[in-house]
Every structure is written in C-alpha cells, then in structure tokens.
Amino acid sequence: MTVEDEIQFERDGNVARVWLNRPWKKNCVTVPILERLDEIITEVDKDPDLRVLVLRGRGGTFCSGFDLDSLQAEYIGSSTAMEVAVISAKICDRLYSMNTPSVAVLEGYVTAGGFELMISCDFAIASDDAKIGDFHMRRGLFGGAGPIYRVPRMIGIRKTKELMLTGKLLSGVEAADFDLINKSAPAEKLDETVEEFVGQLTDKSPFQMRITKMTIDRSLDADTQSLMVMEHLAVGVTLNSDDAAEGVAAFLEKREPKWTGR
C-alpha cells in the first residue's frame, strides 16, 4: 500500500474527511503517514470551500499510536531517537494550529500517538465504548507530541497525572466526564452525533472561525493585558471584514448570510 492508501483524504461538500487506514495494525502511524497528514493540513487550509477537517480511523478504531515495529527498527537505541518526537510534535502542532477547525472521531483504541492526534484536534467526539488514554507509561515510553502541554490545559494537573502516570484507559463516557472530549455517544448514534456537531461549524463565517480559533489558542499563553490588546486588534480586523458586514446585513434583512471568507 502507498501512504495515500494508509491515510485517505476525501472532500465531502464543505467537510474534509481524513481516514487513517491501517486497521490490521489498529491504525498505528508512521513518519510517512504523519508527513502526508501535514500535506493534507496545508491543502485543506488553502481550500476556501473546506470548513471543517474530520479525522477518523477505518475498521472501528481511531489510532493505537506510533508503529512500534518502526519505532524499534529505526529509533530505539539510535542516535536519531529524538527525531521521531521532533517530527511528531511539529505535525501535531500544525494540526492544532491550522486555520480550519478539526474534529477527531474516536472509536476503539485512542492511545499513545493516537491520543496525541486527538488532543491536537479542536474537538473530539467518542463512542461510549472507546478506549482513550496516553498509555505510554504502560510501555515505559514518554509521549513526544503534546501530552505535557496540551492535556493539563484541558483537564488540569491532577487529572493529567492520574491519566499519564497510571496509563489508564477511559471509556468515551469517562473521557467526557474528565472534560477530555466534547461528547460521547452510543456506537450506533456516533455518526449522527458527529454530523450534527460538524453542521454547527460549516455554516459559520470561515474568516471569523479563523480569527476566533487563533485567539482562543493563545488565550492560556499570555497575561490578561496582552490578551486584551490581541482582542482589540481582532475586533478591529473583524469589523473591516466582508463577512462581518454580511453577517450584520443578513441579520437586519432577516435572511441567511452568504459568507465569502474575507
């Protein structure tokens, strides 16, 4: 199989659907797969018709992590050991920082590198019976693409330590209670729940989606006064955009807005 077979990119109206497709290995990833994901992120962000990226795994599982055969053969005990973390962290950060909002759809195993992909997405929706956790501790490993700086911001220090130091797996229901994901649904209602959630994103201004997502992403990394300045600038940019003018006009004229993304 080619890397394009192992990570598939489909356009579905305003939705970019990205599928990890190695179900015989529980969709574990490799460096070429991550590099292809990076290319897809760039392609999606350049396409004005794509409003949301949905990341999912074939065969009823999301992603069980990095391919351990590849890790053992190419990185463990090697002078290039840190390289896999550098590559993984860079691409997960690109996923986190992309202009287009992203939704991870979680089924089966969501562990290690799969967990890192999940926390790099803006939103996550899980099947009630998913198995979600950092998991590295169980293999004597350390996650190199986001757990120590993404997870505490989501769920706090104590819950992060509980999750990472025990290596425990959470069901979708438990992950929602942990505030680690947005929603959990019974397996038979997962697709319906995902589409309802995605629909709340595709009908909004892509210009304002980008501005709001970008500023929220920085909201825990600066002091209040700096964030106020950023907020002022964001308002100024917004009020000079075509989408703001269209949004106000559509409301006053009692019609649906027609966004241009500018």
Side-chain angles (χ1 to χ4, degrees):
M1 295 182 74
T2 66
V3 70
E4 286 78 13
D5 294 319
E6 294 182 327
I7 177 167
Q8 300 167 332
F9 173 31
E10 303 169 351
R11 288 177 172 81
D12 179 14
N14 295 129
V15 181
R17 300 192 187 275
V18 181
W19 294 88
L20 299 174
N21 185 37
R22 302 180 83 206
W24 63 93
K25 296 202 76 171
K26 292 187 170 54
N27 292 326
C28 61
V29 296
T30 61
V31 167
I33 289 172
L34 291 175
E35 289 174 339
R36 175 59 185 145
L37 175 60
D38 196 28
E39 294 172 355
I40 291 169
I41 289 168
T42 300
E43 193 172 343
V44 170
D45 266 352
K46 286 183 177 179
D47 190 333
D49 292 329
L50 295 175
R51 306 284 179 84
V52 182
L53 183 151
V54 176
L55 181 61
R56 196 166 185 174
R58 300 281 189 195
T61 199
F62 181 69
C63 174
S64 61
F66 197 86
D67 189 320
L68 293 184
D69 290 327
S70 173
L71 191 72
Q72 185 178 57
E74 300 176 50
Y75 298 104
I76 290 179
S78 166
S79 60
T80 62
M82 196 170 70
E83 182 181 329
V84 68
V86 172
I87 294 168
S88 299
K90 178 182 177 182
I91 295 169
C92 281
D93 192 58
R94 289 268 290 118
L95 177 60
Y96 180 81
S97 303
M98 69 183 298
N99 298 329
T100 308
S102 56
V103 181
V105 181
L106 312 177
E107 301 171 89
Y109 285 97
V110 187
T111 53
F115 181 81
E116 291 167 349
L117 287 171
M118 181 272 289
I119 62 174
S120 299
C121 289
D122 295 301
F123 309 100
I125 300 173
S127 173
D128 286 348
D129 59 359
K131 299 174 179 63
I132 304 166
D134 176 67
F135 204 74
H136 284 98
M137 185 62 69
R138 294 199 190 189
R139 297 291 176 261
L141 299 173
F142 188 89
I148 65 169
Y149 47 88
R150 300 253 189 263
V151 182
R153 286 169 164 78
M154 293 179 179
I155 64 175
I157 291 289
R158 288 189 184 277
K159 285 185 176 179
T160 298
K161 287 180 178 178
E162 179 182 346
L163 195 62
M164 293 181 65
L165 297 184
T166 66
K168 71 190 300 181
L169 294 179
L170 305 175
S171 68
V173 175
E174 291 169 329
D177 289 340
F178 250 63
D179 292 330
L180 189 61
I181 66 171
N182 296 89
K183 287 189 175 185
S184 175
E188 65 274 14
K189 293 187 177 180
L190 181 61
D191 288 350
E192 177 185 343
T193 302
V194 170
E195 295 314 303
E196 287 177 356
F197 192 91
V198 167
Q200 298 177 77
L201 301 170
T202 54
D203 66 347
K204 304 302 188 299
S205 158
F207 177 87
Q208 196 52 44
M209 187 72 69
R210 177 182 180 182
I211 293 292
T212 305
K213 177 179 172 337
M214 179 176 62
T215 52
I216 291 172
D217 284 348
R218 301 278 75 80
S219 63
L220 297 179
D221 299 329
D223 62 274
T224 301
Q225 293 302 312
S226 297
L227 291 169
M228 286 177 66
V229 172
M230 183 170 68
E231 190 175 62
H232 301 336
L233 294 172
V235 170
V237 169
T238 293
L239 292 180
N240 281 284
S241 71
D242 293 343
D243 274 3
E246 168 63 10
V248 172
F251 177 80
L252 294 175
E253 294 166 15
K254 297 180 172 56
R255 60 176 175 81
E256 292 298 316
K258 298 178 180 178
W259 309 118
T260 64
R262 300 191 295 271

